Amino acid sequence: MSTNPFDLANAGIRNLSPYVPGKAVDALEREYGITNIVKLASNENPLGPSKLAKAAVAAASADLTRYPDGAGFRLKSKLGQVLKVSADQIALGNGSNEILELLARTFLAPGYDAIMSEHAFAVYPLVTLTAGANVVSVPARQWAHDLDAMADAITEKTRIIFIANPNNPTGTWVSRGELRAFLKAVPDTVIVVLDEAYFEYVDQENYPDGVKLLGEFPNLVVTRTFSKIYGLAALRIGYSVSSEAITDLLNRARQPFNVNSLAQEAAMAAMDDTEYVSRSRNLNNLGVTQLEEGFDALNLNYIGSVGNFICVNVGSNAMAIYESLLKKGVIVRPVANYNMPDYLRVTVGTEAENNVFLAALADILATS
Ligand SMILES: *Cc1c(COP(=O)(O)O)cnc(C)c1O
């Protein structure tokens, strides 16, 4: 009888359920033999990346021989100028997902807790368990982070609190006032990770800019990404902004060449195309309204979202509706694994993509 490797694995790894990504377009093509697929499942920008970013990738691909700049000097300088922070406060990651993992590896260990909200982004429990630490999940309030309850959950074992603003998949958000009151209540022995993956989409007046709070709260780490509004998810690049002391720790924990050269060049070029960013934001605002009106017409409830995605309540046969949408060539995201079994999360697409989705959904609801 041979040893089962499962029994050799760390307890944290044995206890976690792997991340379930949105279904890939080519997988659906293979399985159902259909084409013209509309993928609204991974919160990607339906416009794709800026032309400037594509040109930068093409130019950078002329020389793939050299290792990338592991320190990301030029990109961090540029980010530092735009964000008005020192480049030494910025750490680059292979997606902001890697930054979340570096934070967990740096600050968590067996015996420690990470606090997060119910329905919060699935990567937080993953990185926490991988580090051997415990997940403390705090019940949500009307789908949103209950910051008072999260502050009350802090014990001497707490090392990290994760807050996604806005949260994925719910699209809910916390205001500047709520966030500042929360940060004041958190002892400086606890690292607060403020995940701003959708920062550039949010228009609300009292939506906080985490980077502006860093001076007041040295235990705060803000994470952002080029995967969402910048449309560069395939290249895997994100970053954190924090105190120099925390940044130094993250840089010790990362691989020497964790962010490739194409991603660094594309990110710098994407930052120059501010017109593209505002066009993407405007398209998203129109798309949110279009989807909300579509859901209203179908008498479906949804959770108000400030991101580029919306969770809609389709009832207890959400999984069957998801499958029926797949057969019609529309990929959305089931969120039963977020304890939201009646909901589907749909990414805001182009006007045409949103129409295809709404028509397919109307069809399915009419015949089910
Ligand atoms: C998409 C997403 C991320 C990370 O994306 P990367 O591609 O790894 O940068 C992080 N947090 C939330 C809440 C997200 O939805």
Side-chain angles (χ1 to χ4, degrees):
M1 253 200 357
S2 66
T3 307
N4 183 344
F6 188 85
D7 299 326
L8 304 175
N10 301 326
I13 302 285
R14 292 202 304 263
N15 290 335
L16 60 79
S17 359
Y19 183 79
V20 186
K23 196 173 191 73
V25 169
D26 59 348
L28 185 59
E29 281 175 355
R30 274 197 307 274
E31 288 164 31
Y32 292 86
I34 43 181
T35 49
N36 293 324
I37 287 162
V38 170
K39 185 187 179 211
L40 302 173
S42 301
N43 300 347
E44 295 140 342
N45 185 335
L47 297 178
S50 148
K51 282 203 278 283
L52 299 186
K54 284 200 247 189
V57 170
S61 67
D63 184 5
L64 301 176
T65 314
R66 308 284 178 206
Y67 279 96
D69 174 10
F73 179 83
R74 283 162 49 241
L75 174 56
K76 288 202 295 200
S77 308
K78 190 166 185 125
L79 280 167
Q81 272 165 23
V82 171
L83 301 172
K84 301 188 173 63
V85 297
S86 148
D88 293 334
Q89 293 179 259
I90 300 167
L92 301 179
N94 199 271
S96 56
N97 198 138
E98 188 194 18
I99 300 280
L100 299 172
E101 193 176 326
L102 294 174
L103 284 160
R105 274 173 38 213
T106 302
F107 294 106
L108 296 176
Y112 293 116
D113 293 347
I115 296 175
M116 56 203 75
S117 179
E118 184 190 8
H119 319 302
F121 187 45
V123 167
Y124 309 152
L126 276 181
V127 298
T128 300
L129 292 169
T130 302
N134 305 311
V135 171
V136 176
S137 175
V138 175
R141 194 168 52 195
Q142 290 174 327
W143 304 109
H145 288 49
D146 183 342
L147 292 184
D148 294 334
M150 290 175 78
D152 286 345
I154 296 171
T155 69
E156 70 287 353
K157 290 199 283 182
T158 308
R159 275 293 165 86
I160 290 186
I161 302 177
F162 290 102
I163 296 174
N165 198 31
N167 182 49
N168 171 18
T170 56
T172 52
W173 60 290
V174 301
S175 71
R176 188 179 299 111
E178 290 167 326
L179 182 65
R180 284 197 67 241
F182 171 79
L183 289 168
K184 282 186 175 173
V186 176
D188 68 359
T189 52
V190 175
I191 303 292
V192 177
V193 179
L194 183 65
D195 180 343
E196 295 185 336
Y198 302 93
F199 176 82
E200 302 83 358
Y201 277 111
V202 187
D203 266 341
Q204 263 67 16
E205 215 185 291
N206 49 349
Y207 173 71
D209 176 343
V211 172
K212 297 210 170 106
L213 294 169
L214 289 170
E216 197 177 348
F217 302 104
N219 55 332
L220 179 63
V221 180
V222 177
T223 64
R224 293 194 188 159
T225 183
F226 286 95
S227 298
K228 302 291 161 58
I229 208 165
Y230 290 104
L232 296 171
L235 291 177
R236 313 305 303 126
I237 179 162
Y239 61 95
S240 62
V241 193
S242 63
S243 69
E244 291 186 11
I246 293 177
T247 308
D248 173 60
L249 290 166
L250 298 180
N251 277 320
R252 294 182 197 204
R254 68 174 173 82
Q255 287 181 37
F257 304 104
N258 62 331
V259 180
N260 71 75
S261 343
L262 304 188
Q264 294 186 36
E265 294 298 332
M268 285 186 281
M271 288 172 69
D272 287 336
D273 201 344
T274 51
E275 188 274 332
Y276 159 86
V277 173
S278 48
R279 186 152 38 95
S280 300
R281 187 186 306 113
N282 292 341
L283 180 75
N284 188 63
N285 287 339
L286 293 172
V288 167
T289 305
Q290 182 190 359
L291 288 174
E292 289 180 347
E293 287 173 1
F295 296 147
D296 288 341
L298 293 169
N299 269 317
L300 297 173
N301 290 320
Y302 50 86
I303 304 172
S305 170
V306 296
N308 66 338
F309 52 89
I310 305 180
C311 280
V312 57
N313 187 336
V314 293
S316 56
N317 51 353
M319 218 43 213
I321 293 174
Y322 163 71
E323 297 284 347
S324 303
L325 284 167
L326 285 183
K327 289 185 186 130
K328 290 176 179 287
V330 179
I331 313 177
V332 297
R333 194 74 160 265
V335 282
N337 58 328
Y338 285 93
N339 199 15
M340 301 171 68
D342 295 350
Y343 283 80
L344 294 174
R345 190 196 70 191
V346 55
T347 301
V348 178
T350 61
E351 183 181 8
E353 289 173 328
N354 298 335
N355 277 331
V356 169
F357 159 69
L358 287 169
L361 183 61
D363 232 35
I364 292 162
L365 293 173
T367 56
S368 66

